[in-house]
Amino acid sequence: CKAGYEWEEKGYSCSECPADSYATSAMTECAKCPDNATTGSIAASTSLDACSCFAGFFLSNGICEKCPEGTYSSLEGAHSIDACISCQGGKVTDGKGSNSVEACICPAGLTEEVNGNCVKCAQGRYKTWLGNEECLACPILHGVVQLTTLNTESIKESECVCPAGTYVALGDDSCSACLEGMTCAVPNTTEAALSSSGGYAYPMAASGYMTRTEEPMTVYKCWTTSWCPGGPPGTCSHGRDANAVGCGSCPEGTFMRTNGDCTECDNRLVAVYISIAIAGGIIALSALAFIVNKKTATETKSMTNVLIVAALTLTAVQSMGVLSSLAVVWVEPVRSMLKVFTMMSFDLNVVQAECMIGQTPARSYGIRQLIAPMSCVYIVAIISIRSQFYEKVRVDVECVNAVGAVFQAFFVSILVSITLPFVCYSHPGDVGASMTSDPSIMCFSDPEHSLMIVVGCLSFLLVAAPFIALVGYATCRYRRSVSDSNTASRHLSLFRFLFFRYKPEVYYYSSLSLTRSCMICLLPALIRDAVAAQIVVLAMVLLFFLVLQLYLQPWRSDSANIVDASLSAFLIVILVSVSLVGDYGDAELVAGVSGTVVLLGLFSLSLVAVGHGVYKRLIPTPFFQKFVCHHKADAAAQARYLQMIISSRLHETCFIDSDHLSNLDDLLDVVRCKIGLLVVYCTSETLRRPWCAAEVTTAALTHRRVARIMTPSFCPPSSSEISEHNISNYIQQSDVSLDGLGIDPVSMARAFEWTLESLEVPEVVLSSQLQGLSKFQQVVDDLAKCGTISMTRLALSRSPTSPTSPLSPRPSPTPTTKVTTWVSDSSGARSERNHSDLGENMLIISSDPLDDEATAAAGIVAGKIGVAIVEHYKQGMSLLANLADPGGDAALEAVSSAKAVIIVLSKGSLHSPAQLSAIFTAVHIADTAHTLKVIPVFTPDFRFADSKSRVDHKAMEDGIDANELLHSLFKRIAIGIATHASDSVLDAQCKDIAHRLPRERPSEHRKVSTDGKFRPKLSVIRASNRSSTTSSRSDAVLLDMGDEGSVCSV
C-alpha cells in the first residue's frame, strides 16, 4: 500500500491509516503516534512527523516529554524543550506538563500580589498549600494572645508560636507576658531557662537587671546599670559577686573602686588610707575646735567670709552626695564625682574599709554611726586638756561651740548616714526592695537590715535629735536671753556657732538651714522609685529656700550671700540636667501634675497680688492719723515726743519714719494713701531735706491734708529760692533722685508755695513763751483742732496778725514752779499730773531748758520709764525744764532731796547755767553724802570734753573744785539715747536707764545740809566775740560758789 495506508487482509485492499497513526510506503500496517502525541483529525498520515506532541509536552528522541516543573507550554507539536516557558513572579506549577500560564501558582508560604507576583506570607501568617489565595493569620490562643511566627513565608500552622515579649510558663500552654527586666525571644519556655539548654531561646535578664542561677525567673534590679550587662542567670560585670542580689557587692577579699569595678585588696595600702583618714580627721577637728572658739572681735571680716564660704561649700558637697541616692541615671564623670562626695557622709568604702572588716554591711553601718560621737569625745578631750594649761578656757562654752560647729558642718552627712537603711529601691514584681547603699541587703526582709534599722533609730535619738532640739531651744530662747543683760553674754557665747555667721535680725536662719538639710536628706526615703517626682520635689525645695535666702540676705557679708545663692542655683541646674537623661516611667504623670500645680499657683498668685493691691488702695492699712515730717538732725526728739503726746492725749496713731525705716518710695506711698494729716515740723533744715521735700510735694499732689508747725529756728525761704528754676539748688544734694520718683521741680515749687503761704494749710507755732514740755502739749492741742474744724473755716478764721486765731499761740502763762510727773494707773497706762510743789525722794530729770530738742529728749525718757518706776517713786518725777526757773533755789532744793537725778546731756548742756547748777549740785551731793544717784544720759548731738578740758577757777569754799565735779560726772557710765532711732530701740535704752535707777534712797550717813550752804549760782556774761549762730554759742559761764565771791569760768 502506498504511504498512509495499510494492507487489509480481509478485504484484500489498502485502507487509510486512522487519526493518531501513520504509515510509510515501506510499512504494511499503520503505527500509532507516540504517547502524548496526535495527528489531530487528519487520517492517512504518511510519516512520524505527522504526529504532534500535546501542549505541555515536547518531542525528544521520538518521545513526548513533559515540560519541567515551573514551566508550561501552550503549543502543540513542540519539537524541543525550548518550547517550555518558565513561570514568572516566583510562581511554580503543580507538577510537570503544564500547558498554560494559569498553571503557574504561588507555592506554600507565598501569596499573590495585585501585580501577579508572589510574596512571602508576613510574620504571624502562614499558607500550607499551592495557590494564589491569601495567607492565613495565626490563631489567637485562648482568645487572648495573638500568636506569631518566627519568620515570614511560614507554610504550616505549627509554626505559630507565642510573640516576642511573652514566654510559655512551666506547665502551661498559654503565653505569659515577659517579666519586667527580662527579654523574651520566640519561641521560649521556662523549661529552657531552668535547664539552661539551648533548644529554644529562653527569657534572659535585660541590661541593668540580673537573675541568680538558683532563681532564673526572679528578677533583681541593679542600682547601677553598668554592674549588670544582662543575659543568662548569674551574669554580673566588673568581677562583682554573681550570687549577691543586684550584683550589689564584691566577693570577699576585694573592694569596689569608684567606677564600680571589684579589685583585689592590698592590705598595706588599706592601712595607709585608713591612717591618713584618721589623721586628717584629727587635724580637722582640732583646727575646727580652735577656729570656732576664737574671739569674734579679733577675727577680720575677710577671714570670717572665708569661714562662711568654706562652710557653705562643705554643705553643698554633702548635698551633692545626697543626689547619688536618687534613682536617676548619672553619666560620667558626674557618677564618679558623686561617688567621691559620698566620702563626706562617712562612707568607709572610700578608704577600702571592706578589706579590713569584710563584706558585712551591718558592721560597716554600725561603725559609721560611731564617727560623730567619737568626734565629740575627742573634741571634749582636747578642750579639757587645753584648759589644764590655759586658765581662761571655759570648758563648757568651748565644748558646746566646737561640738555644735562639727554637727552643724556635717549635719547633712550625719543625717544621710543615719537614714541609709530607710533609703531603698524596688525590684520588679513582688520581689521586694534593696538598700541603695548596699543593694545586696533586702529591705525589711533581711535580718541584717532589721539590725541596721534598730541601730539607725538609736543613732537618730541619741545623736541627731538632741542637736535638732538644741538648735530649736537656742533659737527660741534667743530674744529672751539677749534682752536680759544677765544671760545675754552667756547665751551668745554658748551658741556662737549658731549665730555669729548671721545678721542679728536673722538669727533664726540656722533653724531654716537645718530644716532644708532635713528635707534634702529625707526626700530619697520618703519618695521611693518615683524618679521624676524626686527631681521635681527636690528642685522645688531648693528653689523655695533659694528665694527665702535672697529675701532674708542672712549672712554677714554680701559675698557669702552670693555664694549661698549660687550653690543652690548650681544644684538646681544639675537636677535639670539629669532630668534630660533616662526614661522615667512617672515622668509624664509628674510633669502633668507639677505643671498643673505651677500654672494654678501662678494664676492664683497673680489674682492674690492684684486683689491685695486693690484692697490696700481702697482700704489702706495701717492707717495713721498723723505723719510728722521732720529733720532728724534738728528735731528727732521733738518729733518722737509729739508722737507720744498724740498717742496719749489724742489717742491717735502717728507716723514718723524712724519707726519705719525703708526706702523713700515706701514712705511716699504712706503719704499718698495711709495718713490723715501731714504735719510739717519746720526747723532750719526741714524743707531742704530731700525726703521732707518729697513728702510735702507728694501730699500736695495727692491732696492730703497738711499742717505746718513753725519753730523759732525756722527761716522761711524766699520766693526766688523756691521758684521752679532755683528750688533744685535750695534742696540739699544727696544720692536720692527725686525725678525718678516723679517729683519734678515745678511740682516741688508749687507744693512749697502752697504749704507755706496757702490759707488752706493751718499753722501752729511752737511758742517760745511757754516753758518746757508745755509748748509741745500746746502744739498737740492745736493740732487736734485740725481734725474738728473744717479746713476752709479754719483758714478763714485765722489771720496772720490776729492774736485770737484758733491756732495762734496762747498767751504766756504767769511763770510758776510747775512740775510734770508721770505716773501709772492700775491698767499700766501713763498719765500726767501737774504739781505746784516739789517734794523729796523724787526722780529729777535735768536738761538744757533753752534747747527744745533736749527738753523733748527728757520728755521721752520720762514718758518711757514712768511705768517701770512708779512703784518705787511715789512722789513722782520732775523735769526741771518745766520750771519757771530751772536753775533757781526751788530746782536745786529738789535736786538736793531727790532719790536720783538723770542728767540729759545735749550739745548746749555745758553752756547752760541752769543745767550746770543742777549738775554740780547733784554730783557734789552724790560724791559726798551718797544720798542720791546721778545717771548721765547723752543725746546724739552731745560731744564729750577731752581729758585736757578744765574749768578755770580760784580757791573755792570748802575746797570744792568745779573741775572735779565735772570730771566726776564724766567718770560715770553714761547711757546713750538715740533720739533718731526706732521706738523699740528707745524702749530698750530707757529700760536700761530704769534698771540703773535705785529702788531705795541711798545711804544718808553723810547727808549735806540744804539750808543754803552749797548753792552754786551761775550767770552768763556775753563774750565780745560771741557768734550770732546758736550752734557756736561761746558765753562765759561764771560759777558763784558762795559768800567768798569766788568765781570760775567754764
Side-chain angles (χ1 to χ4, degrees):
C1 294
K2 63 179 181 180
Y5 291 85
E6 67 176 348
W7 177 252
E8 185 176 330
E9 289 287 342
K10 204 180 263 196
Y12 296 98
S13 63
C14 292
S15 61
E16 293 180 333
C17 289
D20 297 330
S21 62
Y22 68 93
T24 63
S25 59
M27 296 174 60
T28 59
E29 58 182 9
C30 295
K32 289 186 177 181
C33 289
D35 292 339
N36 300 317
T38 182
T39 60
S41 59
I42 302 173
S45 297
T46 61
S47 67
L48 179 61
D49 294 336
C51 294
S52 299
C53 292
F54 293 157
F57 291 82
F58 66 92
L59 185 65
S60 174
N61 297 324
I63 301 174
C64 287
E65 299 283 349
K66 293 180 178 180
C67 287
E69 290 184 3
T71 63
Y72 70 94
S73 176
S74 59
L75 298 177
E76 294 183 352
H79 295 287
S80 69
I81 194 172
D82 294 336
C84 296
I85 302 172
S86 297
C87 292
Q88 303 298 315
K91 293 184 177 181
V92 297
T93 58
D94 188 7
K96 298 179 179 179
S98 297
N99 58 11
S100 67
V101 69
E102 285 75 11
C104 292
I105 56 177
C106 294
L110 282 77
T111 185
E112 186 181 34
E113 285 187 312
V114 177
N115 59 7
N117 294 329
C118 292
V119 294
K120 298 177 181 179
C121 291
Q123 191 171 7
R125 303 181 74 85
Y126 69 96
K127 188 160 73 80
T128 60
W129 65 94
L130 296 176
N132 294 331
E133 294 84 358
E134 292 184 357
C135 300
L136 299 179
C138 287
I140 299 176
L141 188 63
H142 302 301
V144 177
V145 179
Q146 174 68 59
L147 300 181
T148 186
T149 56
L150 292 175
N151 302 298
T152 59
E153 201 177 354
S154 297
I155 61 174
K156 53 186 176 180
E157 184 180 1
S158 61
E159 293 185 48
C160 292
V161 294
C162 291
T166 63
Y167 72 100
V168 180
L170 181 62
D172 191 358
D173 61 350
S174 63
C175 298
S176 300
C178 193
L179 299 178
E180 180 185 353
M182 300 191 80
T183 59
C184 297
V186 291
N188 38 59
T189 63
T190 305
E191 289 90 342
L194 293 175
S195 65
S196 298
S197 59
Y200 288 131
Y202 51 86
M204 292 187 295
S207 176
Y209 297 84
M210 63 89 65
T211 58
R212 297 195 291 183
T213 304
E214 62 272 19
E215 300 174 309
M217 297 303 293
T218 301
V219 185
Y220 298 99
K221 183 179 180 180
C222 301
W223 180 245
T224 301
T225 304
S226 61
W227 296 352
C228 304
T235 302
C236 293
S237 61
H238 306 294
R240 306 187 69 83
D241 188 358
N243 293 320
V245 173
C247 301
S249 64
C250 291
E252 289 290 340
T254 63
F255 71 94
M256 184 174 63
R257 304 176 68 89
T258 56
N259 61 359
D261 294 346
C262 293
T263 306
E264 187 175 354
C265 292
D266 185 342
N267 291 330
R268 291 175 297 179
L269 286 178
V270 173
V272 172
Y273 293 151
I274 294 178
S275 300
I276 293 175
I278 294 175
I282 291 175
I283 294 174
L285 290 175
S286 302
L288 186 63
F290 171 76
I291 293 173
V292 169
N293 288 301
K294 190 176 180 181
K295 288 184 178 294
T296 309
T298 63
E299 196 69 72
T300 63
K301 187 174 181 179
S302 59
M303 285 306 300
T304 301
N305 290 344
V306 170
L307 295 176
I308 293 175
V309 171
L312 289 173
T313 305
L314 181 61
T315 302
V317 169
Q318 295 175 75
S319 299
M320 289 288 293
V322 176
L323 298 183
S324 63
S325 62
L326 300 180
V328 299
V329 179
W330 298 104
V331 297
E332 292 294 348
V334 179
R335 182 188 299 117
S336 298
M337 294 172 64
L338 291 179
K339 184 65 178 177
V340 173
F341 291 154
T342 58
M343 178 178 63
M344 293 297 178
S345 61
F346 315 137
D347 188 356
L348 301 180
N349 293 337
V350 175
V351 294
Q352 305 175 17
E354 61 262 51
C355 293
M356 301 289 292
I357 62 179
Q359 298 291 340
T360 311
R363 186 185 305 166
S364 175
Y365 177 75
I367 295 175
R368 291 175 70 167
Q369 305 314 304
L370 295 176
I371 293 178
M374 291 173 63
S375 300
C376 298
V377 172
Y378 173 75
I379 289 175
V380 172
I382 62 172
I383 293 178
S384 300
I385 295 173
R386 184 166 170 262
S387 66
Q388 301 300 318
F389 300 95
Y390 300 95
E391 296 181 356
K392 294 183 178 180
V393 174
R394 294 187 295 175
V395 178
D396 56 343
V397 173
E398 293 199 3
C399 286
V400 171
N401 265 299
V403 172
V406 170
F407 270 75
Q408 190 175 36
F410 293 96
F411 181 76
V412 173
S413 295
I414 293 172
L415 199 57
V416 167
S417 179
I418 291 174
T419 57
L420 285 179
F422 302 93
V423 182
C424 304
Y425 72 96
S426 301
H427 293 295
D430 298 327
V431 176
S434 286
M435 290 175 53
T436 58
S437 57
D438 292 288
S440 61
I441 302 297
M442 297 292 289
C443 294
F444 306 107
S445 60
D446 196 318
E448 199 167 1
H449 183 262
S450 301
L451 178 61
M452 296 171 73
I453 288 288
V454 174
V455 173
C457 293
L458 291 176
S459 181
F460 178 79
L461 293 175
L462 299 178
V463 179
F467 177 72
I468 296 174
L470 181 67
V471 173
Y473 168 79
T475 304
C476 293
R477 291 279 303 179
Y478 180 85
R479 283 186 175 274
R480 185 183 303 175
S481 299
V482 170
S483 62
D484 188 347
S485 58
N486 295 324
T487 60
S489 177
R490 178 170 178 78
H491 186 84
L492 291 178
S493 299
L494 273 176
F495 303 108
R496 177 172 172 266
F497 70 96
L498 286 177
F499 304 121
F500 88 101
R501 296 180 298 170
Y502 306 115
K503 298 175 182 176
E505 62 270 20
V506 201
Y507 65 90
Y508 51 82
Y509 195 73
S510 288
S511 298
L512 297 178
S513 180
L514 200 67
T515 302
R516 183 183 74 164
S517 299
C518 290
M519 296 178 70
I520 292 175
C521 295
L522 296 177
L523 179 65
L526 298 177
I527 303 178
R528 194 171 76 181
D529 300 323
V531 184
Q534 288 180 336
I535 294 174
V536 171
V537 173
L538 183 55
M540 293 176 65
V541 170
L542 293 173
L543 187 60
F544 172 79
F545 282 97
L546 171 60
V547 173
L548 188 63
Q549 184 264 329
L550 292 174
Y551 173 74
L552 295 176
Q553 295 286 302
W555 303 101
R556 291 170 56 188
S557 66
D558 293 336
S559 58
N561 285 308
I562 294 173
V563 170
D564 190 7
S566 300
L567 291 175
S568 298
F570 290 156
L571 290 176
I572 295 174
V573 171
I574 290 176
L575 289 175
V576 173
S577 301
V578 78
S579 66
L580 304 176
V581 183
D583 182 16
Y584 308 123
D586 61 331
E588 184 175 352
L589 176 62
V590 172
V593 174
S594 60
T596 302
V597 171
V598 170
L599 291 176
L600 290 177
L602 179 63
F603 182 70
S604 301
L605 183 62
S606 301
L607 287 180
V608 170
V610 172
H612 181 264
V614 173
Y615 174 80
K616 282 290 187 181
R617 182 63 185 90
L618 298 178
I619 309 176
T621 54
F623 187 82
F624 302 91
Q625 280 83 6
K626 302 287 190 295
F627 182 115
V628 180
C629 170
H630 66 285
H631 183 215
K632 287 187 179 65
D634 292 340
Q638 299 172 65
R640 175 67 65 186
Y641 188 66
L642 284 177
Q643 182 195 44
M644 294 172 61
I645 302 177
I646 290 171
S647 176
S648 62
R649 294 172 72 93
L650 306 183
H651 304 289
E652 294 180 348
T653 55
C654 181
F655 182 101
I656 60 175
D657 54 13
S658 298
D659 293 332
H660 307 271
L661 291 177
S662 59
N663 57 57
L664 180 55
D665 194 21
D666 291 340
L667 290 180
L668 297 185
D669 189 62
V670 174
V671 175
R672 292 185 191 103
C673 59
K674 297 182 180 180
I675 65 171
L677 176 68
L678 177 71
V679 178
V680 183
Y681 198 82
C682 296
T683 54
S684 59
E685 301 292 326
T686 300
L687 295 182
R688 295 173 59 85
R689 180 177 176 241
W691 286 42
C692 291
E695 291 164 0
V696 170
T697 305
T698 301
L701 291 174
T702 55
H703 307 291
R704 297 288 98 187
R705 295 167 55 222
V706 178
R708 59 179 180 267
I709 299 177
M710 312 301 286
T711 66
S713 65
F714 179 68
C715 180
S718 64
S719 300
S720 61
E721 284 181 314
I722 59 173
S723 65
E724 60 184 73
H725 302 292
N726 298 325
I727 194 167
S728 297
N729 297 326
Y730 178 77
I731 304 297
Q732 294 174 348
Q733 297 298 319
S734 70
D735 56 354
V736 177
S737 175
L738 298 183
D739 288 330
L741 298 172
I743 309 297
D744 57 272
V746 176
S747 299
M748 281 194 293
R750 294 176 179 175
F752 277 31
E753 180 182 1
W754 177 75
T755 302
L756 295 175
E757 300 178 6
S758 175
L759 295 178
E760 296 179 358
V761 179
E763 178 179 301
V764 177
V765 178
L766 185 70
S767 175
S768 59
Q769 300 176 7
L770 296 178
Q771 194 71 27
L773 298 178
S774 60
K775 61 180 68 177
F776 299 107
Q777 297 166 4
Q778 180 62 51
V779 165
V780 171
D781 291 341
D782 289 342
L783 284 177
K785 299 175 184 178
C786 296
T788 58
I789 304 175
S790 68
M791 303 305 294
T792 304
R793 288 180 54 206
L794 190 61
L796 294 176
S797 64
R798 180 180 58 81
S799 171
T801 59
S802 172
T804 60
S805 172
L807 297 183
S808 297
R810 295 181 180 179
S812 176
T814 303
T816 58
T817 302
K818 181 181 290 187
V819 181
T820 299
T821 304
W822 292 81
V823 299
S824 174
D825 56 21
S826 59
S827 64
R830 290 195 295 266
S831 60
E832 291 185 51
R833 290 181 183 172
N834 295 325
H835 300 274
S836 58
D837 297 324
L838 292 170
E840 295 185 353
N841 295 327
M842 298 183 69
L843 172 61
I844 302 296
I845 301 179
S846 171
S847 62
D848 182 3
L850 301 179
D851 186 350
D852 291 335
E853 186 72 359
T855 302
I860 293 172
V861 173
K864 289 186 175 293
I865 68 175
V867 174
I869 67 170
V870 65
E871 295 296 329
H872 305 283
Y873 290 81
K874 299 295 186 181
Q875 299 300 322
M877 71 177 78
S878 173
L879 272 67
L880 297 185
N882 286 345
L883 302 179
D885 185 6
D889 291 342
L892 298 183
E893 179 68 27
V895 172
S896 301
S897 60
K899 184 186 295 187
V901 176
I902 298 175
I903 306 295
V904 179
L905 298 171
S906 57
K907 67 180 179 181
S909 293
L910 300 183
H911 302 282
S912 171
Q915 188 171 14
L916 282 174
S917 297
I919 290 174
F920 290 148
T921 301
V923 174
H924 174 69
I925 295 176
D927 290 347
T928 56
H930 305 289
T931 57
L932 65 83
K933 185 172 183 179
V934 176
I935 302 173
V937 174
F938 63 93
T939 60
D941 59 356
F942 177 73
R943 296 294 178 265
F944 285 93
D946 57 30
S947 59
K948 297 180 180 179
S949 299
R950 294 185 58 79
V951 177
D952 296 333
H953 65 283
K954 297 180 180 180
M956 300 182 182
E957 183 180 1
D958 297 333
I960 298 173
D961 190 342
N963 290 306
E964 293 182 359
L965 295 177
L966 192 62
H967 293 165
S968 175
L969 173 69
F970 290 155
K971 287 179 182 178
R972 288 169 167 80
I973 298 177
I975 301 175
I977 176 169
T979 54
H980 57 276
S982 65
D983 193 53
S984 59
V985 173
L986 288 171
D987 285 339
Q989 293 172 337
C990 291
K991 181 179 180 181
D992 194 12
I993 296 173
H995 183 73
R996 294 267 299 276
L997 291 172
R999 297 302 185 256
E1000 301 294 338
R1001 183 174 176 83
S1003 173
E1004 299 186 9
H1005 66 282
R1006 295 183 60 188
K1007 184 175 181 179
V1008 176
S1009 172
T1010 59
D1011 58 358
K1013 185 71 175 179
F1014 182 71
R1015 289 289 186 274
K1017 296 182 179 179
L1018 286 80
S1019 59
V1020 178
I1021 300 177
R1022 304 294 179 186
S1024 60
N1025 61 345
R1026 181 173 184 267
S1027 171
S1028 60
T1029 61
T1030 305
S1031 61
S1032 58
R1033 181 171 57 182
S1034 58
D1035 302 342
V1037 180
L1038 301 183
L1039 176 62
D1040 183 0
M1041 298 304 296
D1043 297 337
E1044 297 297 325
S1046 302
V1047 296
C1048 63
S1049 62
V1050 180

